[in-house]
Amino acid sequence: MQRRAERAQRAKRLHRVLVCAAAVPVMLIAAGCSSDSGSGSGGDSGSSGSTSGTGADGGASASASAAPTVQAAAYKSLPDACGTLSKKTLKSLTPEASKGKKGTSEAGTRGSCSWSSLDNNGVKGSQFRWLNVSLLRFESDTSRGTGEAQAAKYYEQQVQDAQSVAGAKNTKSQTVAGTGDAATLVRYDLKKKEGAFKQQTVVTRVENVVVTVDYNGAGLAGDKTPSADSLSKLAEQAAKEAVASVSAANGEGAASPAPSDPASKAPSKSASPSPTASKSASKSASPSKSAAKTS
């Protein structure tokens, strides 16, 4: 009986061991499932991370496409500099001039033209006149700003250049009304070996274009010096007409010649050096200005 009871007790213990042993794989399987679930969660996270990365790339693309922009310049072209003034106006300013002499030019960007007039009256002396019209157009650029802003800066430089010519005397400046968006007349006297010259420079900005008109006159070989006031009026007239030509070249109305003023006769010798395309185009072009260096 005792042995039978011991066998029964051993059988119970064995049964418990087997039951526990059978439970182990189940736990391992559960743990494995739990691990797979974590991996799946990680996979979801990875997928989420991938989606987030795509979003970042999209943002980068969007910011790259939003490149800096600048307002387009108003005027896209320029007239031929030698055609900016009417024959009537040219007759008033340079009565003895023939055709204009074209200076350095670049289509649609810059151009200049000059006229010389010399009325030789022999022993009674001579009257000399010289006229130059220069045009410079600025294009908008993201690094340099709008064409209008660049033109405004250049306009100020041209006025300062005209006010600081070496050897100039009695320099005066005044604004000119009704000419472009801004206009300044600079006038001064310049003594040279040929005679006393009266220089008039009108600098005008219209939109993104700067127009510079240089006009001077002198009485040579004993002839009387021309009136600075008369020359100033003629220079302002030429500037207004040149500005109208620029506007007309860009489809804004028609260039109407300004009323001409009878000017004292003024012929000319073959003219002064043609202006360069640099920022001081009008300065280098004007005979009176270049002569200032030699007088």
Side-chain angles (χ1 to χ4, degrees), residues 186-222:
V186 180
R187 50 193 279 186
Y188 54 84
D189 300 334
L190 195 61
K191 182 79 174 176
K192 299 194 290 184
K193 63 181 181 179
E194 296 91 346
F197 283 76
K198 299 287 185 179
Q199 171 70 31
Q200 322 295 315
T201 298
V202 182
V203 184
T204 305
R205 180 186 71 81
V206 54
E207 298 290 358
N208 55 309
V209 175
V210 175
V211 177
T212 304
V213 172
D214 281 303
Y215 184 51
N216 64 49
L220 308 179

Side-chain angles (χ1 to χ4, degrees), residues 126-147:
S126 304
Q127 285 291 323
F128 174 78
R129 301 289 184 273
W130 183 82
L131 170 68
N132 184 80
V133 175
S134 67
L135 314 170
L136 189 60
R137 186 183 71 85
F138 294 85
E139 191 59 72
S140 294
D141 182 270
T142 53
S143 61
R144 290 175 294 177
T146 65

